[in-house]
PDB file of all heavy atoms in Angstrom:
ATOM      1  N   GLY A   1     191.971 185.229 152.621  1.00 96.00           N
ATOM      2  CA  GLY A   1     192.265 184.003 152.029  1.00 96.00           C
ATOM      3  C   GLY A   1     193.281 183.248 153.073  1.00 96.00           C
ATOM      4  O   GLY A   1     193.072 182.083 153.289  1.00 96.00           O
ATOM      5  N   TRP A   2     194.202 184.101 153.568  1.00 94.00           N
ATOM      6  CA  TRP A   2     195.186 183.537 154.502  1.00 94.00           C
ATOM      7  C   TRP A   2     194.434 183.105 155.814  1.00 94.00           C
ATOM      8  O   TRP A   2     194.690 182.008 156.354  1.00 94.00           O
ATOM      9  CB  TRP A   2     196.193 184.665 154.815  1.00 94.00           C
ATOM     10  CG  TRP A   2     197.138 184.187 155.819  1.00 94.00           C
ATOM     11  CD1 TRP A   2     197.182 184.361 157.225  1.00 94.00           C
ATOM     12  CD2 TRP A   2     198.464 183.553 155.566  1.00 94.00           C
ATOM     13  NE1 TRP A   2     198.284 183.904 157.799  1.00 94.00           N
ATOM     14  CE2 TRP A   2     199.080 183.423 156.872  1.00 94.00           C
ATOM     15  CE3 TRP A   2     199.125 183.166 154.426  1.00 94.00           C
ATOM     16  CZ2 TRP A   2     200.360 182.680 156.919  1.00 94.00           C
ATOM     17  CZ3 TRP A   2     200.315 182.457 154.595  1.00 94.00           C
ATOM     18  CH2 TRP A   2     200.965 182.310 155.813  1.00 94.00           C
ATOM     19  N   VAL A   3     193.568 183.938 156.302  1.00 93.00           N
ATOM     20  CA  VAL A   3     192.874 183.490 157.528  1.00 93.00           C
ATOM     21  C   VAL A   3     191.924 182.343 157.316  1.00 93.00           C
ATOM     22  O   VAL A   3     191.950 181.501 158.183  1.00 93.00           O
ATOM     23  CB  VAL A   3     191.932 184.803 158.027  1.00 93.00           C
ATOM     24  CG1 VAL A   3     191.091 184.300 159.277  1.00 93.00           C
ATOM     25  CG2 VAL A   3     192.917 185.887 158.507  1.00 93.00           C
ATOM     26  N   ALA A   4     191.211 182.297 156.197  1.00 95.00           N
ATOM     27  CA  ALA A   4     190.358 181.117 155.822  1.00 95.00           C
ATOM     28  C   ALA A   4     191.184 179.879 155.830  1.00 95.00           C
ATOM     29  O   ALA A   4     190.739 178.818 156.253  1.00 95.00           O
ATOM     30  CB  ALA A   4     189.687 181.385 154.551  1.00 95.00           C
ATOM     31  N   MET A   5     192.398 179.907 155.268  1.00 95.00           N
ATOM     32  CA  MET A   5     193.286 178.680 155.173  1.00 95.00           C
ATOM     33  C   MET A   5     193.729 178.291 156.491  1.00 95.00           C
ATOM     34  O   MET A   5     193.716 177.069 156.842  1.00 95.00           O
ATOM     35  CB  MET A   5     194.527 179.068 154.298  1.00 95.00           C
ATOM     36  CG  MET A   5     195.455 177.960 154.313  1.00 95.00           C
ATOM     37  SD  MET A   5     197.163 178.465 153.802  1.00 95.00           S
ATOM     38  CE  MET A   5     197.800 179.208 155.243  1.00 95.00           C
ATOM     39  N   SER A   6     193.908 179.244 157.388  1.00 92.00           N
ATOM     40  CA  SER A   6     194.657 178.883 158.683  1.00 92.00           C
ATOM     41  C   SER A   6     193.719 178.741 159.880  1.00 92.00           C
ATOM     42  O   SER A   6     194.098 178.576 160.959  1.00 92.00           O
ATOM     43  CB  SER A   6     195.759 179.785 159.003  1.00 92.00           C
ATOM     44  OG  SER A   6     195.357 181.062 158.586  1.00 92.00           O
ATOM     45  N   THR A   7     192.392 178.766 159.645  1.00 92.00           N
ATOM     46  CA  THR A   7     191.405 178.773 160.667  1.00 92.00           C
ATOM     47  C   THR A   7     190.312 177.613 160.457  1.00 92.00           C
ATOM     48  O   THR A   7     190.361 176.987 159.458  1.00 92.00           O
ATOM     49  CB  THR A   7     190.769 180.112 160.998  1.00 92.00           C
ATOM     50  OG1 THR A   7     190.168 180.514 159.775  1.00 92.00           O
ATOM     51  CG2 THR A   7     191.721 181.192 161.526  1.00 92.00           C
ATOM     52  N   SER A   8     189.357 177.569 161.322  1.00 91.00           N
ATOM     53  CA  SER A   8     188.288 176.677 161.070  1.00 91.00           C
ATOM     54  C   SER A   8     186.971 177.319 161.732  1.00 91.00           C
ATOM     55  O   SER A   8     187.084 178.320 162.340  1.00 91.00           O
ATOM     56  CB  SER A   8     188.562 175.350 161.674  1.00 91.00           C
ATOM     57  OG  SER A   8     188.824 175.411 163.023  1.00 91.00           O
ATOM     58  N   GLY A   9     185.839 176.545 161.638  1.00 93.00           N
ATOM     59  CA  GLY A   9     184.653 177.068 162.167  1.00 93.00           C
ATOM     60  C   GLY A   9     184.086 178.391 161.656  1.00 93.00           C
ATOM     61  O   GLY A   9     184.265 178.742 160.612  1.00 93.00           O
ATOM     62  N   ASP A  10     183.671 179.190 162.721  1.00 95.00           N
ATOM     63  CA  ASP A  10     183.023 180.425 162.374  1.00 95.00           C
ATOM     64  C   ASP A  10     184.051 181.425 161.868  1.00 95.00           C
ATOM     65  O   ASP A  10     183.665 182.158 160.915  1.00 95.00           O
ATOM     66  CB  ASP A  10     182.370 181.165 163.706  1.00 95.00           C
ATOM     67  CG  ASP A  10     181.174 180.355 164.160  1.00 95.00           C
ATOM     68  OD1 ASP A  10     180.624 179.518 163.307  1.00 95.00           O
ATOM     69  OD2 ASP A  10     180.726 180.529 165.191  1.00 95.00           O
ATOM     70  N   GLU A  11     185.304 181.394 162.408  1.00 94.00           N
ATOM     71  CA  GLU A  11     186.376 182.267 161.887  1.00 94.00           C
ATOM     72  C   GLU A  11     186.640 182.015 160.395  1.00 94.00           C
ATOM     73  O   GLU A  11     186.766 182.982 159.560  1.00 94.00           O
ATOM     74  CB  GLU A  11     187.589 181.968 162.654  1.00 94.00           C
ATOM     75  CG  GLU A  11     188.623 183.216 162.696  1.00 94.00           C
ATOM     76  CD  GLU A  11     189.656 183.039 163.635  1.00 94.00           C
ATOM     77  OE1 GLU A  11     189.759 182.165 164.453  1.00 94.00           O
ATOM     78  OE2 GLU A  11     190.572 183.896 163.585  1.00 94.00           O
ATOM     79  N   GLN A  12     186.677 180.743 160.020  1.00 95.00           N
ATOM     80  CA  GLN A  12     186.928 180.409 158.536  1.00 95.00           C
ATOM     81  C   GLN A  12     185.761 180.856 157.697  1.00 95.00           C
ATOM     82  O   GLN A  12     186.053 181.436 156.649  1.00 95.00           O
ATOM     83  CB  GLN A  12     187.151 178.905 158.518  1.00 95.00           C
ATOM     84  CG  GLN A  12     187.520 178.562 156.978  1.00 95.00           C
ATOM     85  CD  GLN A  12     187.762 177.116 156.758  1.00 95.00           C
ATOM     86  OE1 GLN A  12     186.829 176.213 157.057  1.00 95.00           O
ATOM     87  NE2 GLN A  12     188.957 176.685 156.261  1.00 95.00           N
ATOM     88  N   GLU A  13     184.570 180.593 158.153  1.00 96.00           N
ATOM     89  CA  GLU A  13     183.313 180.982 157.514  1.00 96.00           C
ATOM     90  C   GLU A  13     183.322 182.492 157.173  1.00 96.00           C
ATOM     91  O   GLU A  13     183.010 182.953 156.038  1.00 96.00           O
ATOM     92  CB  GLU A  13     182.013 180.647 158.210  1.00 96.00           C
ATOM     93  CG  GLU A  13     181.743 179.153 158.090  1.00 96.00           C
ATOM     94  CD  GLU A  13     181.436 178.686 156.671  1.00 96.00           C
ATOM     95  OE1 GLU A  13     180.785 179.418 155.945  1.00 96.00           O
ATOM     96  OE2 GLU A  13     182.034 177.583 156.288  1.00 96.00           O
ATOM     97  N   GLU A  14     183.587 183.239 158.248  1.00 96.00           N
ATOM     98  CA  GLU A  14     183.688 184.706 158.056  1.00 96.00           C
ATOM     99  C   GLU A  14     184.682 185.207 157.091  1.00 96.00           C
ATOM    100  O   GLU A  14     184.459 186.020 156.244  1.00 96.00           O
ATOM    101  CB  GLU A  14     183.892 185.329 159.509  1.00 96.00           C
ATOM    102  CG  GLU A  14     183.783 186.903 159.421  1.00 96.00           C
ATOM    103  CD  GLU A  14     182.501 187.407 158.993  1.00 96.00           C
ATOM    104  OE1 GLU A  14     181.401 186.916 159.205  1.00 96.00           O
ATOM    105  OE2 GLU A  14     182.441 188.522 158.261  1.00 96.00           O
ATOM    106  N   ALA A  15     185.873 184.543 157.106  1.00 96.00           N
ATOM    107  CA  ALA A  15     186.882 184.910 156.228  1.00 96.00           C
ATOM    108  C   ALA A  15     186.606 184.559 154.803  1.00 96.00           C
ATOM    109  O   ALA A  15     186.827 185.271 153.802  1.00 96.00           O
ATOM    110  CB  ALA A  15     188.191 184.252 156.695  1.00 96.00           C
ATOM    111  N   MET A  16     185.985 183.363 154.641  1.00 97.00           N
ATOM    112  CA  MET A  16     185.568 182.962 153.242  1.00 97.00           C
ATOM    113  C   MET A  16     184.503 183.838 152.680  1.00 97.00           C
ATOM    114  O   MET A  16     184.573 184.151 151.478  1.00 97.00           O
ATOM    115  CB  MET A  16     185.117 181.486 153.314  1.00 97.00           C
ATOM    116  CG  MET A  16     186.184 180.448 153.423  1.00 97.00           C
ATOM    117  SD  MET A  16     185.572 178.744 153.538  1.00 97.00           S
ATOM    118  CE  MET A  16     184.706 178.574 152.042  1.00 97.00           C
ATOM    119  N   LYS A  17     183.637 184.303 153.510  1.00 97.00           N
ATOM    120  CA  LYS A  17     182.608 185.274 153.038  1.00 97.00           C
ATOM    121  C   LYS A  17     183.263 186.528 152.546  1.00 97.00           C
ATOM    122  O   LYS A  17     182.857 187.059 151.395  1.00 97.00           O
ATOM    123  CB  LYS A  17     181.638 185.565 154.211  1.00 97.00           C
ATOM    124  CG  LYS A  17     180.477 186.486 153.868  1.00 97.00           C
ATOM    125  CD  LYS A  17     179.484 186.536 155.033  1.00 97.00           C
ATOM    126  CE  LYS A  17     178.442 187.598 154.853  1.00 97.00           C
ATOM    127  NZ  LYS A  17     178.921 188.954 155.269  1.00 97.00           N
ATOM    128  N   GLU A  18     184.263 187.015 153.257  1.00 97.00           N
ATOM    129  CA  GLU A  18     184.939 188.238 152.862  1.00 97.00           C
ATOM    130  C   GLU A  18     185.681 187.999 151.484  1.00 97.00           C
ATOM    131  O   GLU A  18     185.692 188.809 150.597  1.00 97.00           O
ATOM    132  CB  GLU A  18     186.000 188.600 153.832  1.00 97.00           C
ATOM    133  CG  GLU A  18     185.417 189.472 155.015  1.00 97.00           C
ATOM    134  CD  GLU A  18     186.437 189.781 156.000  1.00 97.00           C
ATOM    135  OE1 GLU A  18     187.596 190.260 155.687  1.00 97.00           O
ATOM    136  OE2 GLU A  18     186.163 189.590 157.273  1.00 97.00           O
ATOM    137  N   ALA A  19     186.381 186.891 151.328  1.00 97.00           N
ATOM    138  CA  ALA A  19     187.140 186.483 150.227  1.00 97.00           C
ATOM    139  C   ALA A  19     186.177 186.310 148.950  1.00 97.00           C
ATOM    140  O   ALA A  19     186.493 186.927 147.929  1.00 97.00           O
ATOM    141  CB  ALA A  19     187.868 185.152 150.424  1.00 97.00           C
ATOM    142  N   LYS A  20     185.065 185.757 149.180  1.00 97.00           N
ATOM    143  CA  LYS A  20     184.133 185.538 148.062  1.00 97.00           C
ATOM    144  C   LYS A  20     183.451 186.931 147.647  1.00 97.00           C
ATOM    145  O   LYS A  20     183.281 187.107 146.398  1.00 97.00           O
ATOM    146  CB  LYS A  20     183.060 184.591 148.445  1.00 97.00           C
ATOM    147  CG  LYS A  20     183.473 183.186 148.414  1.00 97.00           C
ATOM    148  CD  LYS A  20     182.482 182.249 148.989  1.00 97.00           C
ATOM    149  CE  LYS A  20     183.006 180.740 148.959  1.00 97.00           C
ATOM    150  NZ  LYS A  20     181.981 179.871 149.658  1.00 97.00           N
ATOM    151  N   GLU A  21     183.259 187.771 148.483  1.00 97.00           N
ATOM    152  CA  GLU A  21     182.780 189.222 148.115  1.00 97.00           C
ATOM    153  C   GLU A  21     183.770 189.845 147.257  1.00 97.00           C
ATOM    154  O   GLU A  21     183.498 190.538 146.330  1.00 97.00           O
ATOM    155  CB  GLU A  21     182.575 190.024 149.400  1.00 97.00           C
ATOM    156  CG  GLU A  21     181.198 189.664 150.189  1.00 97.00           C
ATOM    157  CD  GLU A  21     181.064 190.248 151.598  1.00 97.00           C
ATOM    158  OE1 GLU A  21     181.932 191.070 151.915  1.00 97.00           O
ATOM    159  OE2 GLU A  21     180.129 189.886 152.217  1.00 97.00           O
ATOM    160  N   MET A  22     185.045 189.741 147.629  1.00 97.00           N
ATOM    161  CA  MET A  22     186.177 190.324 146.816  1.00 97.00           C
ATOM    162  C   MET A  22     186.200 189.611 145.422  1.00 97.00           C
ATOM    163  O   MET A  22     186.371 190.248 144.380  1.00 97.00           O
ATOM    164  CB  MET A  22     187.470 190.152 147.462  1.00 97.00           C
ATOM    165  CG  MET A  22     188.578 190.967 146.833  1.00 97.00           C
ATOM    166  SD  MET A  22     188.332 192.722 147.013  1.00 97.00           S
ATOM    167  CE  MET A  22     188.432 193.170 145.291  1.00 97.00           C
ATOM    168  N   MET A  23     186.027 188.235 145.383  1.00 98.00           N
ATOM    169  CA  MET A  23     186.005 187.510 144.221  1.00 98.00           C
ATOM    170  C   MET A  23     184.910 188.028 143.186  1.00 98.00           C
ATOM    171  O   MET A  23     185.081 188.083 141.989  1.00 98.00           O
ATOM    172  CB  MET A  23     185.813 186.055 144.377  1.00 98.00           C
ATOM    173  CG  MET A  23     187.050 185.308 144.977  1.00 98.00           C
ATOM    174  SD  MET A  23     188.566 185.602 144.140  1.00 98.00           S
ATOM    175  CE  MET A  23     188.127 185.121 142.372  1.00 98.00           C
ATOM    176  N   GLU A  24     183.742 188.382 143.886  1.00 98.00           N
ATOM    177  CA  GLU A  24     182.697 188.921 142.999  1.00 98.00           C
ATOM    178  C   GLU A  24     183.011 190.163 142.309  1.00 98.00           C
ATOM    179  O   GLU A  24     182.632 190.398 141.062  1.00 98.00           O
ATOM    180  CB  GLU A  24     181.385 189.085 143.913  1.00 98.00           C
ATOM    181  CG  GLU A  24     180.715 187.845 144.217  1.00 98.00           C
ATOM    182  CD  GLU A  24     179.721 188.075 145.372  1.00 98.00           C
ATOM    183  OE1 GLU A  24     179.377 189.210 145.717  1.00 98.00           O
ATOM    184  OE2 GLU A  24     179.193 187.028 145.920  1.00 98.00           O
TER     185      GLU A  24
END
């Protein structure tokens, strides 16, 4: 979540994917 907040582009997408997997 921290990385997704503080980045953009591919880096943000990858971090959001990880965050959503944990949310599931």
Side-chain angles (χ1 to χ4, degrees):
W2 178 269
V3 173
M5 176 198 74
S6 40
T7 55
S8 57
D10 291 347
E11 202 174 351
Q12 187 183 54
E13 281 299 316
E14 184 57 36
M16 279 177 65
K17 183 168 169 278
E18 280 179 45
K20 286 174 181 175
E21 282 171 5
M22 191 67 238
M23 287 307 308
E24 285 167 10

